[in-house]
Amino acid sequence: MRKFLTMMTAASALMAASTSLHAEDVEVLHWWTSGGEAAALNVLKQDLEQQGIGWQDMPVAGGGGSQAMTVLRARVTSGNPPTAVQMLGFDILDWAKEGALADLNVQASQEGWDNVVPAALQEFAKHDGKWVSAPVNVHSTNWVWANKAILDELGIAVPTSWDEFVAALEKVKASGKTAIAHGGQPWQDATVFDAVAMSTGGPDFYKKAFIDLDEEALGSDTMKETFDRMAVIRSHVDDNFSGRDWNLATAMVINGDAAFQMMGDWAKGEFLNAGKTPDQDFLCFRFPGTQDQVTFNADQFAMFAQGSEVGKEQAALATAILSPSFQSAFNVVKGSVPARTDVSDEAFDACGKKGMADLKSAAASGNLYGSMAHGHANPAAIKNAMYDVITAHFNGEYDSETAVEELVTAVQINR
Amino acid sequence: MSYSETANPRGSVLDRLRDALPKLVLSPTVAIVAIFVYGFIAFTLYLSFTNSRILPTFDWVGWKNYENLFKIRAWDTAVSNLVIFGLLYIAICCILGLLLAILLDQKIRAEGFIRTIYLYPMALSFIVTGVAWKWFLDPGIGLEAVVQGWGWESFRFNWIKDRNMAIYTIVIAAVWQTSGFVMAMFLAGLRGIDSEMLKAAQIDGASTFALYRRIVIPQLRPAFMSAFVVLAHMAIKSYDLVIALTGGGPGTATELPATFMYSYTFTRNQMGIGAASAVMMLMTIAAIIVPYLWSELREKK
């Protein structure tokens, strides 16, 4: 494998030499193709163009980026990797292990990344003590989005514990409305599961089960209880949920057909696009029982090694990404919060301000955890195996006991 | 033979060139097929014995990938779904296709026009079929909503959201797509049957039913065989239809080996297990095609 990689890097060095005309360009592979995302990326593009660095856009459509990863694999195998690639969680570490990523330590130490980027995030941006990618944002996934009009009408206060939440769900159900808007795709089931597990077992349980993959925690009674609670949630979801896209579920909350949705903060964009204002038309709060915790996923730009050292234009790109002005401008549009905790929250709306404050305090108190559902707790193989179990249980294929057993086997097979 | 022996050297060079020409012209194709079909089949076979994850690696792990493959429940689901889907798809397509062909063979008016209509779904890709049927079958906006809108409030048709029935919705869409094509194959077969024999049987007093049962259908055996081979390999490689129609859901209820192979190889960083499942699929196809080819080739002698 090492030999194969050296050949690859040699080949890519040759390619770089032969295309030296464009040595000042960065080629960026990403899947931010929606209007707002593309506009946000434009900020970065202009920043680089002012420094005389060209931008070759290489967008690959497809939400979770799996298509983009397939394209990337083809490019790397043919010895011609792009300069920078949008990437999530363990994918970065997998590529870093293959020795394909550049070393950004010089920039990192000059600009003091170590002090401003939360430690939990650094685990995915560093490999072997070397910075290999530049974090762009932090999405947190344990949010609940609620239609304020429905809550006011039924006299429901923001629930702060599981029992209060169940009581609220019952109330909504009794009024004839759908309590939870949910899209039945495996990753959405897992997003809900993430929050429920954190709320049921607390952060220690979450870390043991999903980050350390401790088999005792995975097979524990707490896990069974988590699955039981998932069944409760299932009973408050409408019958037509399976296969629905997440934004259609958000639309149900926006239109007042449903009261709650559990989804990451990208859902905020849908509310804002529909002309809704946070705290007036809709509410954002942490999943009941996880007020102190933040489960996150973070988009990063991994820098692919082009030759032996990091390129000039790569360094400029990394610096531009980590600059506070870009972090603020981009994340206001994207709905997420900056990846560094020292950025001013002035430009953000109520939910954004809350998100930034939560991130800061969670980072300080050690309550910031990678989201299992979004590939920041364990590698893709295990994550997907967990998806299978969670979604099978949510669709009624397993009872809670079988689901716990299956979860343990899933981890054993794919470890 | 005697000609080449007595011919002058120049003629012999030309002759040899003429003999070699077809081989020369064909050899690039043969080489390309050898590398890009058989070469990559061999490569996949090799990968299935390595612990490849995100990229191909060459660390030999023996049968481990196959052992894990059979421990994964999604693979069981995929295989049993393939059995349900394959059997129903092939059987219904053959029966419907034959029925349509027989009805169309009754010397009716505007046959060409009707034939085109029945064949037309074949012109759509499975992605289009899948998306269209996804909407038809969605209880919120499709058939169920429409019929309830007409006043039949208790009407239920939510198979696509039901994990036990979802696989049958894939059969429906696939049959809709392909049965016209099977009809065309049978129609060609029907047209090839000797009408003298049918007339003779009619004179002997055979009923139409007996005519078809005893003379026509037995003579359609080659058409049946080709239909079976085409349908069987389409069933095994179905991927796009499932992705467009149900995305493998609800849960993992409509997973097929092809969707399994893709997700393990390309999105789950388990290339070794993905390669092992690809090999299993290839074996399944081989188990169908090889006996067929063998019987075909033997008959010609």
Side-chain angles (χ1 to χ4, degrees):
Chain A
M1 189 63 224
R2 176 136 306 160
K3 199 173 162 196
F4 176 61
L5 274 171
T6 5
M7 270 170 61
M8 256 168 36
T9 27
S12 61
L14 270 176
M15 295 289 291
S18 63
T19 54
S20 57
L21 250 179
H22 301 287
E24 292 289 289
D25 283 358
V26 285
E27 191 180 15
V28 182
L29 175 67
H30 63 90
W31 59 88
W32 282 327
T33 47
S34 83
E37 291 167 344
L41 264 190
N42 237 1
V43 178
L44 192 59
K45 189 177 163 185
Q46 280 160 5
D47 189 339
L48 287 174
E49 267 166 6
Q50 277 166 13
Q51 303 177 46
I53 297 171
W55 176 282
Q56 282 184 30
D57 212 28
M58 195 184 163
V60 181
S66 51
Q67 281 91 326
M69 287 302 113
T70 311
V71 172
L72 174 65
R73 214 180 299 245
R75 287 284 302 266
V76 174
T77 318
S78 69
N80 183 24
T83 328
V85 183
Q86 181 190 0
M87 241 187 233
L88 289 169
F90 275 84
D91 285 344
I92 302 170
L93 301 184
D94 280 352
W95 281 109
K97 267 181 218 146
E98 304 279 352
L101 301 184
D103 177 359
L104 297 171
N105 264 2
V106 179
Q107 285 70 38
S109 62
Q110 271 170 14
E111 291 154 29
W113 295 0
D114 282 290
N115 304 322
V116 290
V117 176
L121 210 66
Q122 288 183 22
E123 280 184 26
F124 298 103
K126 284 166 99 169
H127 175 68
D128 256 359
K130 282 183 214 148
W131 282 85
V132 289
S133 74
V136 179
N137 61 10
V138 180
H139 278 294
S140 59
T141 56
N142 56 334
W143 284 109
V144 181
W145 307 89
N147 184 306
K148 188 159 186 289
I150 297 182
L151 263 54
D152 288 347
E153 192 189 314
L154 299 171
I156 298 171
V158 169
T160 54
S161 68
W162 172 253
D163 292 333
E164 281 177 39
F165 189 49
V166 173
L169 293 178
E170 295 291 346
K171 246 186 196 169
V172 180
K173 201 180 189 182
S175 80
K177 285 202 157 55
T178 306
I180 297 173
H182 180 65
Q185 291 165 335
W187 72 269
Q188 296 192 55
D189 298 337
T191 304
V192 175
F193 184 83
D194 241 8
V196 173
M198 180 67 93
S199 159
T200 311
D204 286 340
F205 166 73
Y206 185 90
K207 179 172 181 297
K208 256 194 208 145
F210 301 121
I211 297 174
D212 304 341
L213 300 173
D214 176 59
E215 281 176 22
E216 211 171 292
L218 284 166
S220 67
D221 287 344
T222 319
M223 191 60 83
K224 185 172 170 292
E225 165 130 42
T226 306
F227 277 109
D228 285 339
R229 289 186 176 184
M230 285 300 283
V232 173
I233 286 181
R234 168 68 186 87
S235 69
H236 289 280
V237 168
D238 65 327
D239 286 335
N240 202 5
F241 73 100
S242 89
R244 181 190 284 147
D245 288 324
W246 67 268
N247 52 335
L248 298 182
T250 313
M252 289 169 69
V253 178
I254 295 174
N255 298 333
D257 296 330
F260 302 103
Q261 182 190 16
M262 282 87 103
M263 185 45 61
D265 45 22
W266 46 92
K268 192 176 76 181
E270 297 289 309
F271 284 98
L272 299 181
N273 279 339
K276 306 287 180 189
T277 319
D279 284 350
Q280 280 176 31
D281 303 308
F282 69 96
L283 298 174
C284 51
F285 55 91
R286 296 284 163 188
F287 186 84
T290 65
Q291 281 85 348
D292 297 330
Q293 286 84 35
V294 172
T295 52
F296 73 91
N297 74 28
D299 288 301
Q300 311 207 16
F301 276 109
M303 301 296 169
F304 274 75
Q306 317 261 338
S308 56
E309 55 190 41
V310 61
K312 191 174 135 256
E313 68 285 343
Q314 259 176 337
L317 178 63
T319 305
I321 289 171
L322 261 294
S323 77
S325 59
F326 168 72
Q327 292 268 333
S328 171
F330 180 85
N331 286 303
V332 166
V333 180
K334 183 80 168 70
S336 42
V337 303
R340 40 194 299 167
T341 45
D342 62 342
V343 177
S344 151
D345 67 357
E346 221 171 283
F348 290 80
D349 59 28
C351 289
K353 284 193 168 93
K354 188 168 155 37
M356 287 176 72
D358 285 354
L359 177 70
K360 201 170 181 177
S361 68
S365 66
N367 269 314
L368 184 59
Y369 293 98
S371 157
M372 180 277 290
H374 296 273
H376 280 66
N378 46 52
I382 294 178
K383 175 191 81 173
N384 281 296
M386 286 186 169
Y387 275 15
D388 290 345
V389 179
I390 293 163
T391 190
H393 172 267
F394 201 76
N395 283 285
E397 209 172 318
Y398 304 148
D399 57 16
S400 301
E401 210 143 312
T402 324
V404 172
E405 283 163 25
E406 284 297 318
L407 200 61
V408 177
T409 342
V411 171
Q412 280 169 349
I413 293 176
N414 290 287
R415 198 182 269 276
Chain B
M1 191 174 95
S2 59
Y3 169 77
S4 65
E5 272 171 12
T6 53
N8 60 45
R10 213 178 130 179
S12 129
V13 168
L14 272 178
D15 278 347
R16 254 189 250 160
L17 191 66
R18 194 166 53 205
D19 285 349
L21 196 62
K23 285 175 200 155
L24 274 176
V25 172
L26 281 179
S27 56
T29 326
V30 170
I32 287 169
V33 168
I35 295 168
F36 288 100
V37 177
Y38 298 101
F40 280 130
I41 288 177
F43 188 53
T44 307
L45 188 67
Y46 183 78
L47 281 184
S48 74
F49 290 106
T50 65
N51 68 345
S52 304
R53 304 293 285 239
I54 194 164
L55 286 174
T57 61
F58 303 101
D59 307 327
W60 191 264
V61 293
W63 293 98
K64 192 163 154 268
N65 287 326
Y66 290 90
E67 281 166 24
N68 279 341
L69 179 66
F70 289 108
K71 270 193 240 161
I72 295 170
R73 283 183 78 133
W75 176 250
D76 288 351
T77 323
V79 171
S80 56
N81 275 341
L82 180 63
V83 172
I84 298 175
F85 173 70
L87 287 180
L88 284 177
Y89 173 60
I90 294 171
I92 298 176
C93 269
C94 282
I95 293 168
L96 264 184
L98 182 62
L99 221 76
L100 287 172
I102 289 175
L103 293 177
L104 211 58
D105 197 32
Q106 307 300 317
K107 307 209 166 45
I108 54 170
R109 237 191 299 165
E111 189 209 302
F113 179 65
I114 296 172
R115 201 171 48 203
T116 317
I117 290 180
Y118 279 121
L119 253 174
Y120 199 73
M122 196 67 186
L124 302 176
S125 82
F126 266 124
I127 289 283
V128 178
T129 308
V131 172
W133 278 91
K134 182 183 177 180
W135 291 335
F136 291 150
L137 296 169
D138 189 301
I141 53 174
L143 191 64
E144 184 179 304
V146 170
V147 175
Q148 286 181 356
W150 287 342
W152 184 359
E153 291 289 335
S154 61
F155 181 80
R156 286 278 171 279
F157 191 73
N158 59 353
W159 282 10
I160 199 167
K161 305 282 179 183
D162 182 339
R163 78 191 149 81
N164 294 318
M165 304 306 285
I167 186 71
Y168 299 105
T169 63
I170 292 179
V171 177
I172 295 174
V175 164
W176 177 83
Q177 165 99 310
T178 336
S179 51
F181 169 66
V182 177
M183 175 203 78
M185 284 169 90
F186 282 140
L187 203 56
L190 284 173
R191 293 288 148 82
I193 288 170
D194 185 6
S195 59
E196 292 302 316
M197 201 190 288
L198 295 178
K199 274 178 197 155
Q202 264 172 337
I203 289 165
D204 285 348
S207 68
T208 316
F209 179 71
L211 215 63
Y212 273 103
R213 198 172 71 89
R214 305 234 173 207
I215 300 174
V216 175
I217 293 177
Q219 287 200 42
L220 284 177
R221 200 183 140 262
F224 265 116
M225 283 307 279
S226 346
F228 176 76
V229 169
V230 170
L231 292 175
H233 96 267
M234 277 174 95
I236 292 168
K237 71 175 194 196
S238 338
Y239 172 80
D240 33 10
L241 183 65
V242 181
I243 293 297
L245 190 64
T246 62
T252 54
T254 51
E255 192 97 63
L256 284 178
T259 60
F260 180 95
M261 189 277 286
Y262 183 86
S263 74
Y264 271 77
T265 312
F266 295 112
T267 60
R268 298 179 174 215
N269 300 348
Q270 290 275 32
M271 203 173 267
I273 293 181
S277 70
V279 170
M280 294 311 298
M281 282 164 67
L282 178 72
M283 294 296 169
T284 320
I285 296 183
I288 295 168
I289 301 290
V290 169
Y292 169 73
L293 281 181
W294 190 63
S295 73
E296 285 288 293
L297 293 177
R298 217 173 52 137
E299 256 172 40
K300 286 204 178 110
K301 275 183 188 167

